[in-house]
Amino acid sequence: MHLYLPILRLPIAHAVKVDQESRFPSCLARSRPMATSEAARRVEESTRDALRFQLETLRSILESNAGAAYLRPHLRDRLPDPARVDPALVAAAFRRLVPLSSYDDYADLIERIADGAEPPAALSLDPLICFFNSSGTSTMKPKLIPFFDSLHAKSASSLAHQASAAFLHRLFPPRTSSSKILWFLYAGNVTATRAGFKVMAASAYPFHSNSTTTTPSPLLSMCISPREVITGSDAQQQTYCHLLCGLRHSASIDCIRSPYAAGLIRAMRMLESKWMQLCDDIESGSVSSEITELAMRRAVEELLGGPRPDLAARIRGASSRKNWNGILPLLWPELRYIACVSTGSMEQYYPTLKHYAGEGVPLLGGDYFASECPIGINMDRTRPPEQTSFVILPSAAYFEFLPFDFGASSAAKETVDISGVEVGKMYEVVATTYRGLYRYRLNDVVKVVGFHNSSPRVEFVTRAPKQASEAFTERDLMSAMASFEHMVGERDGEQMMVEFAGYLDPNSDQKHLIIFVELSKDCSLLRRESLEESITHLRRCCQSLEGCLGSVYKVKRAEGDLAALEISVVKPGSFEGLARAAMEGGAPANQYKPAKIIRNSNFVDLLKANVVISSSSNGELRTLPL
């Protein structure tokens, strides 16, 4: 049955004008400084009374969607009438009646909705617009997140993005409209379900919604790259064209952006390998024959505007340096900052980006937004990843926090609300959204480090294990590989680790952890003439890493549940091949994040086929060098 709840009088419902730009991180919003300042004020207001806003947010969600088929069996007539009962009692009843959920609980239902076998009202009574797909980096199959046309969701999203822009403006006030962003956006690869719903990355929506067919997206006025580059179908060609457009108009570039630090790193690696070709294109005013997408070629050649040998010479002079420390402000002299998400699994790329940026260009962190809903806002973007925290947005969704301990089951634990969290403790984030997900475990583990007014301030810790019995987490693996990088660096005198991923191999004589590592092609470990020395060094690394993988791993090793750790060094370029395979499998280029823990056998097979040297902590050489 549908519950008729009182219409909510939330400030967020009319906080800012909801338009196309509000559905994408409008981090600059140059044309509306009043809107951004008003959004910041409303965030302050909501965080001063976070619990009240949370209870009203839940009431608003139930008013819209209590009649959804997913909720009806749980609620029936047992939810108190919110018009007559304290909202806190309604929230307590909701948490008692509706079970915690994960994506697996929705997967079959979402597939039926996508196929047209089930009406969208099974999850939400709002109209279904499209589906957003997740990165799919560990499983090779992206999740489908339904995107419903919810007025409250739009308002909450708009408030979050406009407030984010306000905090950025405090650091970097907008320049003139002629300033542009070198924004590594990839909005192509739009598919359709059997029922005709579009499937895309969340960031692609502004470029593919019906309204943009007649009205250009406001984002395009900010980006240096033309629409044809952003909506191209080949990520490699798109990255090249992004770089080419940015270099050709280098004097106009105000900032460099990417959704994730990993995307910027891939772009910088292409810049290092292709800078001479890029200079040739600028010098001649034409586009390399490697760019085969016709619409992209034509748009970029028009933007090049003919030969520019003087500019090409300047770029060659800067790029021909042996050391690329501080290369970015040399190539883009008006560059004020670089912005991307650099927390969680992106943290490993931060030092490399700082190397490219040099001392004079700050690297700004991102916010805590997910495809499901906004979660938290970064009010101090200049902090490094290990000090970055996010203020939970009380009006974005209804949040619960499930106490988390490494190696312990969460089955018997109960969630606490936004007022029940304790500083210093870790929790898994649970969200009830305006768009059809109820008590949904986001699989994100955060640590409460303080409060902003009455709203928790959290640090992202790691992705939650798929099962409590898992031997290690992403964070454990990243900490161990930081030690490995230091050991390799001591040997070679500079940073040599390119990428890594762990896989708990169940198929050998005894289950054991394999860490696949890609090293720079100049790394001494890859030299054939010093093979024996390399094997010895790898063995020492394995023995050292055994003690760096967290308490759960140590216990399982001591009890004999796990065999010796194995490190397998793969050929240079192997992880880029993994990225291409993931994107060919449907992972959005804009959202692709290299998986730290691999669970897909196809990914493992791709990496195993590229192993050049492998050693374990017990001294066994498993793979002969190619």
Side-chain angles (χ1 to χ4, degrees):
M1 72 177 199
H2 182 68
L3 297 182
Y4 292 94
L5 309 185
I7 294 177
L8 208 56
R9 303 302 180 193
L10 281 177
I12 62 166
H14 306 288
V16 287
K17 179 183 177 182
V18 177
D19 61 6
Q20 185 58 51
E21 186 178 346
S22 72
R23 296 173 183 171
F24 190 86
S26 50
C27 299
L28 295 187
R30 293 187 180 97
S31 60
R32 290 186 287 173
M34 289 300 292
T36 57
S37 61
E38 172 66 7
R41 187 191 69 78
R42 292 196 181 276
V43 166
E44 285 293 319
E45 179 185 349
S46 67
T47 59
R48 280 195 291 269
D49 199 354
L51 179 58
R52 180 176 71 85
F53 271 76
Q54 276 282 273
L55 295 176
E56 291 182 344
T57 296
L58 177 61
R59 195 193 300 184
S60 177
I61 292 170
L62 291 176
E63 180 195 34
S64 298
N65 290 331
Y70 178 89
L71 284 178
R72 281 202 306 268
H74 304 296
L75 298 181
R76 297 191 183 276
D77 296 322
R78 291 172 288 178
L79 191 73
D81 183 355
R84 300 180 181 180
V85 179
D86 186 327
L89 295 178
V90 175
F94 172 77
R95 287 158 54 184
R96 184 180 69 254
L97 296 171
V98 179
L100 290 173
S101 63
S102 65
Y103 184 78
D104 290 341
D105 296 304
Y106 298 88
D108 290 342
L109 179 57
I110 289 174
E111 287 289 343
R112 293 199 301 273
I113 293 172
D115 290 344
E118 190 86 32
L123 287 177
S124 173
L125 302 186
D126 291 312
L128 179 62
I129 300 175
C130 65
F131 290 92
F132 293 151
N133 45 18
S134 67
S135 60
T137 49
S138 61
T139 61
M140 210 178 220
K141 185 178 181 181
K143 299 174 184 176
L144 284 180
I145 307 297
F147 182 67
F148 291 96
D149 192 12
S150 162
L151 175 63
H152 283 294
K154 291 177 186 177
S155 296
S157 178
S158 180
L159 177 67
H161 292 310
Q162 294 287 2
S164 174
F167 292 114
L168 178 61
H169 289 170
R170 292 175 185 177
L171 294 171
F172 297 97
R175 283 177 170 171
T176 66
S177 59
S178 60
S179 297
K180 298 290 184 180
I181 309 171
L182 175 50
W183 207 330
F184 290 94
L185 289 175
Y186 306 85
N189 299 321
V190 176
T191 59
T193 70
R194 290 182 182 177
F197 295 107
K198 291 181 179 179
V199 180
M200 66 189 80
S203 52
Y205 184 79
F207 301 97
H208 295 287
S209 65
N210 291 335
S211 62
T212 60
T213 58
T214 55
T215 305
S217 166
L219 287 173
L220 288 175
S221 65
M222 302 179 187
C223 299
I224 193 64
S225 301
R227 177 192 290 270
E228 290 81 0
V229 173
I230 295 169
T231 58
S233 61
D234 185 292
Q236 290 288 104
Q237 294 187 38
Q238 288 171 279
T239 302
Y240 184 90
C241 288
H242 278 310
L243 289 167
L244 183 55
C245 294
L247 288 170
R248 169 58 183 85
H249 293 278
S250 56
S252 300
I253 300 302
D254 180 71
C255 66
I256 297 175
R257 295 191 58 87
S258 179
Y260 296 104
L264 274 185
I265 288 294
R266 289 198 300 275
M268 293 302 102
R269 288 176 184 155
M270 178 175 285
L271 181 60
E272 285 201 72
S273 65
K274 300 278 191 179
W275 65 266
M276 287 187 285
Q277 183 175 306
L278 288 161
C279 288
D280 290 344
D281 286 358
I282 292 170
E283 184 174 39
S284 65
S286 59
V287 181
S288 166
S289 59
E290 292 182 3
I291 308 305
T292 57
E293 291 195 14
L294 187 57
M296 197 186 307
R297 283 187 63 87
R298 288 174 175 170
V300 174
E301 285 190 346
E302 182 178 348
L303 183 139
L304 289 178
R308 282 295 305 274
D310 55 332
L311 178 60
R314 184 182 72 77
I315 296 170
R316 283 195 184 98
S319 303
S320 59
R321 301 166 49 196
K322 183 178 181 181
N323 188 341
W324 270 34
N325 183 30
I327 186 66
L328 297 184
L330 293 179
L331 296 176
W332 291 282
E334 298 300 317
L335 182 66
R336 290 197 292 172
Y337 63 90
I338 300 165
C340 59
V341 171
S342 56
T343 48
S345 62
M346 298 295 107
E347 192 172 324
Q348 74 174 94
Y349 308 111
Y350 185 83
T352 304
L353 289 178
K354 289 292 290 181
H355 173 79
Y356 289 126
E359 294 298 321
V361 178
L363 182 59
L364 306 186
D367 297 299
Y368 187 7
F369 294 166
S371 297
E372 294 85 354
C373 64
I375 302 165
I377 196 166
N378 183 356
M379 291 186 173
D380 188 355
R381 295 172 175 273
T382 59
R383 289 183 176 272
E386 65 274 12
Q387 298 176 18
T388 294
S389 64
F390 308 95
V391 177
I392 298 295
L393 292 167
S395 55
Y398 178 67
F399 296 109
E400 300 171 60
F401 301 86
L402 184 64
F404 178 85
D405 294 305
F406 288 110
S409 172
S410 61
K413 295 177 182 177
E414 294 185 359
T415 61
V416 296
D417 65 15
I418 203 168
S419 66
V421 298
E422 297 179 41
V423 174
K425 291 190 175 181
M426 291 187 293
Y427 302 88
E428 183 181 347
V429 181
V430 178
T432 295
T433 75
Y434 287 102
R435 289 187 166 126
L437 300 174
Y438 307 100
R439 306 200 73 206
Y440 179 87
R441 297 173 67 165
L442 291 169
N443 292 129
D444 289 348
V445 176
V446 299
K447 181 179 180 180
V448 178
V449 296
F451 289 86
H452 179 79
N453 297 325
S454 64
S455 193
R457 199 161 45 82
V458 302
E459 290 179 350
F460 182 89
V461 177
T462 189
R463 294 288 288 169
K466 295 291 184 182
Q467 300 174 348
S469 60
E470 288 195 1
F472 62 98
T473 66
E474 276 189 356
R475 176 58 57 183
D476 294 331
L477 184 61
M478 289 172 64
S479 297
M481 295 311 291
S483 298
F484 176 83
E485 185 171 28
H486 179 70
M487 286 184 278
V488 174
E490 281 185 330
R491 177 187 174 98
D492 285 61
E494 57 183 286
Q495 184 178 353
M496 286 291 163
M497 189 170 69
V498 174
E499 193 55 89
F500 65 87
Y503 171 64
L504 203 57
D505 188 352
N507 299 318
S508 54
D509 295 337
Q510 188 179 8
K511 183 189 298 184
H512 70 287
L513 171 60
I514 304 175
I515 302 179
F516 296 100
V517 186
E518 181 179 330
L519 301 172
S520 167
K521 62 182 179 181
D522 300 322
C523 183
S524 60
L525 282 173
L526 300 178
R527 294 175 187 160
R528 292 180 178 274
E529 61 270 19
S530 57
L531 177 59
E532 290 299 325
E533 185 182 349
S534 296
I535 293 172
T536 301
H537 188 69
L538 270 183
R539 187 178 305 132
R540 285 198 297 266
C541 290
C542 287
Q543 292 166 348
S544 177
L545 293 188
E546 289 273 24
C548 299
L549 281 161
S551 57
V552 177
Y553 181 88
K554 291 177 186 177
V555 169
K556 289 184 178 294
R557 277 288 283 134
E559 294 177 347
D561 293 336
L562 293 175
L565 168 70
E566 178 182 346
I567 292 181
S568 294
V569 180
V570 297
K571 297 176 185 177
S574 296
F575 276 87
E576 187 59 38
L578 205 66
R580 286 195 297 272
M583 293 172 200
E584 289 168 2
N590 224 37
Q591 295 177 210
Y592 177 75
K593 303 182 289 292
K596 298 306 168 201
I597 300 177
I598 302 178
R599 298 180 176 88
N600 183 280
S601 59
N602 292 334
F603 278 19
V604 174
D605 291 343
L606 284 172
L607 291 174
K608 282 185 174 181
N610 285 290
V611 170
V612 293
I613 185 173
S614 182
S615 184
S616 66
S617 55
N618 65 6
E620 182 179 355
L621 179 67
R622 295 180 181 272
T623 305
L624 293 175
L626 299 181

